[in-house]
Amino acid sequence: LKDFDSLPDCALAPVTVFRPLAGIAPSTAWRRASTDPTFPKPVKLGNRCTRFRVGDIRAFLAGKLPAQAAPAEPK
């Protein structure tokens, strides 16, 4: 996790790395991967080995963070 910024975009990261960066639970990551078209898609490497592309994670976080940081508009 501390070396995440030095990884190339083509690197593959497990959900245990992606989860804290996005601030979500593992079950939420898997659910959103199957239902949310804007969420990074996992790459299945084997029966019990699934990863996310680092470049997809970065793009998702870049698009997501400004919306989170923006204050709510008064009604």
Side-chain angles (χ1 to χ4, degrees):
L1 186 58
K2 67 179 181 170
D3 295 325
F4 182 79
D5 291 336
S6 65
L7 293 173
D9 284 344
C10 63
L12 299 173
V15 73
T16 55
V17 170
F18 179 31
R19 182 192 68 73
L21 293 171
I24 57 176
S27 58
T28 302
W30 297 123
R31 184 182 68 249
R32 289 191 60 192
S34 66
T35 61
D36 184 349
T38 65
F39 200 79
K41 297 302 172 214
V43 177
K44 189 140 180 91
L45 301 175
N47 286 340
R48 297 181 53 108
C49 185
T50 306
R51 301 289 188 259
F52 292 87
R53 285 186 183 87
V54 170
D56 293 346
I57 294 171
R58 287 183 179 130
F60 173 74
L61 294 174
K64 179 180 174 215
L65 292 177
Q68 277 187 338
E73 293 187 24
K75 295 184 179 192

